[in-house]
Amino acid sequence: MMYLFLMIVFSLVIGTVTYGLAAKAKNDIQGKNKIRKALKVNLSVFIPAMMGAVVFMIPTAAHAASETAVNPAAGLGYLAAALSTGLATIGAGYGVGAVGSSALGAVSEDPSILGKTLIYVGLAEGIAIYGLIISIMILSRI
């Protein structure tokens, strides 16, 4: 049953993506209203399908985790490691996007400040490394 549902979800997702690409190739999607309509159709199919897939996959994942886990509290450690890395990379992506676009504009006006702007972009990228280090520290304790 689960595999049938997953195949249906997969075919729906591929179908909506194919519809969007085909409509864009034919230049059928012109204007903001048609793009919004196509996006609403894609999201109204994609989000419930993914939520259904998650609901069907949770019992299987929980059963597999209960067989292999020696320490029941280890699951929280894995969750903490995943959250520290994930949230740090989201923050780093936002930071690099904001700093990178500003740095590009500043360098286009004055090319001599390229080195300074690269330092700021590197500082924003460092946030992801800090999250990775924290997750490695968490995983070493489990």
Side-chain angles (χ1 to χ4, degrees), residues 42-57:
N42 284 334
L43 289 178
S44 67
V45 170
F46 181 73
I47 291 174
M50 287 295 116
M51 292 303 290
V54 167
V55 166
F56 277 116
M57 294 298 285

Side-chain angles (χ1 to χ4, degrees), residues 17-63:
V17 170
T18 305
Y19 163 73
L21 291 175
K24 186 68 174 167
K26 289 190 229 178
N27 290 328
D28 189 27
I29 299 178
Q30 294 291 330
K32 290 184 179 181
N33 290 333
K34 286 190 177 182
I35 291 174
R36 285 184 186 150
K37 183 180 176 186
L39 185 62
K40 285 179 185 177
V41 168
N42 284 334
L43 289 178
S44 67
V45 170
F46 181 73
I47 291 174
M50 287 295 116
M51 292 303 290
V54 167
V55 166
F56 277 116
M57 294 298 285
I58 285 175
T60 306
H63 180 69

Side-chain angles (χ1 to χ4, degrees), residues 69-133:
V70 176
N71 184 6
L76 290 176
Y78 292 129
L79 184 63
L83 284 174
S84 68
T85 302
L87 293 175
T89 53
I90 289 171
Y94 181 76
V96 168
V99 172
S101 64
S102 300
L104 186 63
V107 169
S108 68
E109 291 182 13
D110 185 12
S112 66
I113 62 169
L114 176 66
K116 292 178 185 177
T117 58
L118 285 178
I119 291 172
Y120 294 126
V121 174
L123 287 173
E125 289 176 4
I127 296 171
I129 294 173
Y130 295 140
L132 182 64
I133 290 170

